[in-house]
Amino acid sequence: MKKILLILVPFMWTCTSCDFLETTVESNIVTQNFFKNTADFDMALTGVYYTFTSVEWDAQHRYGNYFTGFMYWGRIGTDECYIPSANNGEDMIGYYNYTPEHLFVEKVWFMQYLGIQRANVVLDRLAAYDGNNISEQDRNRIAGEAHFLRAWFYFQLARYYGEVPLVLSETTDISKLDTKKASLDEVYGQIIRDYEEAERLLPETNTTGHAHKYAATALKARAYLQMAGEPLMDKSAAALAAEACREVISSGKFSLVEDYFSQFDGKHEHNSEYIFDVEFDNTHSNSLYGGQVGTTDGIPHEEQIYWTQVRAFPEMYKKFEEGDLRRGAVNKGGHAVLNNTTGKMEIVYDGDYEGEYWVYKFRHPLDKADRGNSWANWCNNINFPIIRYADVLLMLAEAEWRDTGTPSDEAIEYVNQVRRRGYGKDIFTADSNVDYRPGDEPFEDFILAERSRELCFEGHRWADLVRFEKLQEAYASVGQDPDWLLSAAYQALIPNCQEKHKIFPIPQSVIDSSNGAIEQNQLWQ
């Protein structure tokens, strides 16, 4: 998917008033004569995908999506990484001193509902279309992608904000909006219905970067798994999560790649493990605008290709055993300098950054010649993974454990395949030095830790900790390493993480504009 710079024609603003969703109402006048053929609907659908990556500087879209917002949200405020200082309040998310007025709290809400509104436009106009310029195959695909995207946006809202209003049709008249919050059961019910409709309509393969049938199935499994844990604790959802995982696995369309880090270098992302991601492209045809995946992280570099703003905890580094190649996602004390003999940049460990732990999972090419002329630290083509096949294998084991109390031998074997890959072993050959064996440690503790080792810095950790009811415990476990330079400073912040932080507050602007229809989340009152 190519990232575009302007909001597409069907979504041009013609009204400046905002509703309770804190998103501008789309104009019926602008869109009513637009949808005439497949290309028009595909252009509108691209506008829905665009909410993942939109910058829109004046509207500050970037703080609620994968250009900026989700480079922090879901990652910091956990036992994986933190921010020592910031310019736009992103550190407040990690230190748990944010409020309902916080920029990221406002914009994450805004961007999910913006995506929902755009998906609703596509679905409503497609349902009303009575022309003969769209094939049945294209009609199904377009509707399937819109259902898929709407499900994803509501899933983001449900796990971060809890009970939220359900808006399932195009909004053109504020007075007709139902502004009441739906129950969490109702929101998740809609998420599942949308994913199931997407499964029914989508092809098994699609244009790169677009949703397909098994992406819907895999993310439906994730939704069920979240339902099975805190706060819903719907045990019946665990079996349904396992069933969905098995459907993805049994399709035979996916497999683990051999080189773990090849998935995060911007060159090998569309591989056998790829299921769905957020696409960035910084080619000349794309006006040189890409993303900044990895830019917020990284190691010190003479050409400043990384910002090193997001740092890893030493405790994160120590989660990995010796021999686990995935430990390379945390770089301990390195920095990149020019080797005058070879003329190449290389990572050295000379003590200049002793005691620092860098997030180094998403890797920009160290040498300028490898990066290309269109590259900049805020503009690169590394994609952000939403779901990988390894995640599905790990989810199956957790889902079975939640359902029956014991994962099957088959599910444990899938987990061990993930681990063997992490150690550079043949994934199909048992290895007693690597494999998890029932009884080694409580499976609950093992699978939560293994998810962190395999999926670290991909935005899953906060939701995982909430689902396992471990957020406060995990947050309190970091910052106590005696060798860590910032230990004392961080320990002072540990009491900030409280029970209310297992959910985010409803943005204050939404509450104010709802005229009393929407109340603040109970834990935040």
Side-chain angles (χ1 to χ4, degrees):
M1 182 182 68
K2 299 296 183 184
K3 184 167 175 281
I4 55 179
L5 289 182
L6 297 177
I7 294 179
L8 297 168
V9 171
F11 305 112
M12 292 293 289
W13 302 155
T14 60
C15 173
T16 59
S17 62
C18 292
D19 61 12
F20 78 100
L21 302 177
E22 190 59 18
T23 183
T24 311
V25 174
E26 313 285 357
S27 171
N28 187 49
I29 297 174
V30 171
T31 60
Q32 64 184 353
N33 296 318
F34 176 79
F35 296 95
K36 297 179 179 179
N37 52 46
T38 300
D40 292 345
F41 278 99
D42 275 333
M43 184 179 292
L45 194 60
T46 300
V48 190
Y49 282 100
Y50 181 49
T51 57
F52 282 111
T53 59
S54 168
V55 176
E56 298 301 321
W57 291 96
D58 291 340
Q60 298 182 313
H61 286 185
R62 62 195 183 279
Y63 295 111
N65 65 19
Y66 288 91
F67 188 84
T68 296
F70 290 118
M71 296 301 97
Y72 308 100
W73 198 293
R75 306 202 304 157
I76 62 174
T78 72
D79 55 354
E80 290 186 347
C81 49
Y82 73 103
I83 297 178
S85 62
N87 298 320
N88 297 293
E90 51 266 39
D91 56 333
M92 297 172 71
I93 299 295
Y95 294 155
Y96 290 102
N97 51 10
Y98 57 86
T99 69
E101 292 86 4
H102 191 275
L103 175 63
F104 284 60
V105 172
E106 296 255 355
K107 292 305 176 183
V108 168
W109 174 285
F110 170 87
M111 290 305 293
Q112 308 323 300
Y113 273 112
L114 179 59
I116 289 166
Q117 165 73 342
R118 292 181 175 185
N120 286 341
V121 170
V122 172
L123 289 170
D124 287 358
R125 299 312 171 92
L126 189 62
Y129 179 79
D130 58 2
N132 56 8
N133 292 326
I134 304 177
S135 69
E136 188 68 18
Q137 182 180 13
D138 281 332
R139 180 185 286 270
N140 287 343
R141 173 186 56 79
I142 293 165
E145 290 188 60
H147 279 290
F148 172 92
L149 291 165
R150 188 171 69 178
W152 173 254
F153 294 129
Y154 270 121
F155 178 64
Q156 295 282 70
L157 289 166
R159 63 176 175 171
Y160 289 133
Y161 297 97
E163 297 179 343
V164 298
L166 280 174
V167 182
L168 303 177
S169 60
E170 178 185 357
T171 300
T172 57
D173 186 346
I174 296 175
S175 66
K176 294 181 180 180
L177 279 172
D178 182 1
T179 61
K180 298 186 298 294
K181 289 197 293 186
S183 71
L184 197 55
D185 278 323
E186 291 172 324
V187 178
Y188 271 109
Q190 182 58 48
I191 292 166
I192 298 302
R193 285 190 293 274
D194 271 334
Y195 276 138
E196 289 178 340
E197 190 69 356
E199 288 179 288
R200 185 180 72 84
L201 296 170
L202 284 171
E204 292 189 359
T205 59
N206 201 353
T207 304
T208 299
H210 285 242
H212 53 82
K213 170 184 169 62
Y214 292 108
T217 305
L219 288 175
K220 182 180 74 172
R222 180 179 292 171
Y224 273 133
L225 193 60
Q226 203 70 35
M227 293 168 65
E230 172 71 23
L232 276 182
M233 303 299 286
D234 181 358
K235 186 176 180 179
S236 65
L240 296 170
E243 179 183 348
C245 288
R246 288 190 177 279
E247 185 174 347
V248 175
I249 295 167
S250 64
S251 74
K253 292 184 173 294
F254 310 98
S255 61
L256 299 176
V257 299
E258 183 176 352
D259 182 353
Y260 175 77
F261 284 104
S262 67
Q263 302 174 87
F264 315 109
D265 64 4
K267 296 179 180 179
H268 308 92
E269 296 160 316
H270 301 125
N271 50 55
S272 63
E273 195 164 334
Y274 162 86
I275 297 181
F276 185 69
D277 65 7
V278 176
E279 297 275 311
F280 288 101
D281 183 359
N282 68 337
T283 63
H284 284 278
S285 63
N286 207 28
S287 300
L288 306 184
Y289 235 97
Q292 48 191 39
V293 177
T295 295
T296 56
D297 310 341
I299 59 176
H301 187 286
E302 288 183 348
E303 296 172 355
Q304 297 182 335
I305 69 172
Y306 295 112
W307 296 340
T308 66
Q309 183 185 26
V310 178
R311 314 278 182 88
F313 289 114
E315 287 87 354
M316 182 67 223
Y317 180 81
K318 293 175 181 178
K319 286 183 185 180
F320 299 97
E321 297 175 348
E322 289 291 339
D324 192 336
L325 303 179
R326 297 171 300 181
R327 176 184 275 184
V330 180
N331 179 283
K332 182 182 179 182
H335 63 115
V337 298
L338 180 66
N339 184 318
N340 292 323
T341 301
T342 64
K344 294 285 189 178
M345 298 294 295
E346 62 181 35
I347 301 175
V348 299
Y349 302 86
D350 54 12
D352 284 359
Y353 293 94
E354 185 177 359
E356 294 286 2
Y357 294 80
W358 314 111
V359 176
Y360 195 50
K361 187 167 194 173
F362 300 98
R363 300 180 175 184
H364 303 173
L366 294 181
D367 288 294
K368 187 174 182 179
D370 296 327
R371 296 196 293 273
N373 293 330
S374 62
W375 187 93
N377 58 16
W378 45 266
C379 172
N380 70 80
N381 66 338
I382 299 178
N383 298 338
F384 193 87
I386 297 296
I387 189 161
R388 301 190 280 115
Y389 184 58
D391 192 2
V392 175
L393 299 180
L394 296 177
M395 285 198 298
L396 173 62
E398 181 189 336
E400 289 190 348
W401 164 74
R402 289 185 180 277
D403 180 35
T404 67
T406 305
S408 64
D409 291 343
E410 182 184 21
I412 291 176
E413 170 60 20
Y414 288 139
V415 171
N416 283 332
Q417 289 178 13
V418 173
R419 284 183 57 78
R420 292 168 199 151
R421 191 266 301 273
Y423 283 80
K425 307 286 187 178
D426 178 78
I427 67 170
F428 299 114
T429 302
D431 191 315
S432 61
N433 294 319
V434 172
D435 291 356
Y436 170 81
R437 295 168 298 184
D440 285 352
E441 64 178 302
F443 188 76
E444 174 184 4
D445 297 335
F446 163 77
I447 196 64
L448 182 59
E450 187 61 25
R451 285 185 61 82
S452 183
R453 288 186 286 263
E454 173 66 26
L455 305 170
C456 60
F457 314 127
E458 295 179 43
H460 302 296
R461 187 60 173 171
W462 183 88
D464 283 356
L465 290 171
V466 169
R467 184 170 70 255
F468 278 84
E469 300 182 87
K470 300 278 190 178
L471 180 62
Q472 288 177 272
E473 177 183 329
Y475 192 75
S477 71
V478 296
Q480 302 182 47
D481 191 300
D483 299 323
W484 188 36
L485 298 178
L486 300 179
S487 177
Y490 193 84
Q491 284 191 33
L493 299 167
I494 287 175
N496 287 358
C497 185
Q498 303 170 24
E499 179 69 11
K500 71 177 183 179
H501 290 114
K502 67 182 182 182
I503 196 170
F504 282 83
I506 302 296
Q508 190 60 47
S509 61
V510 172
I511 294 172
D512 293 342
S513 63
S514 74
N515 296 318
I518 295 180
E519 295 182 351
Q520 185 54 268
N521 287 332
Q522 187 173 0
L523 288 174
W524 282 83
Q525 291 177 2

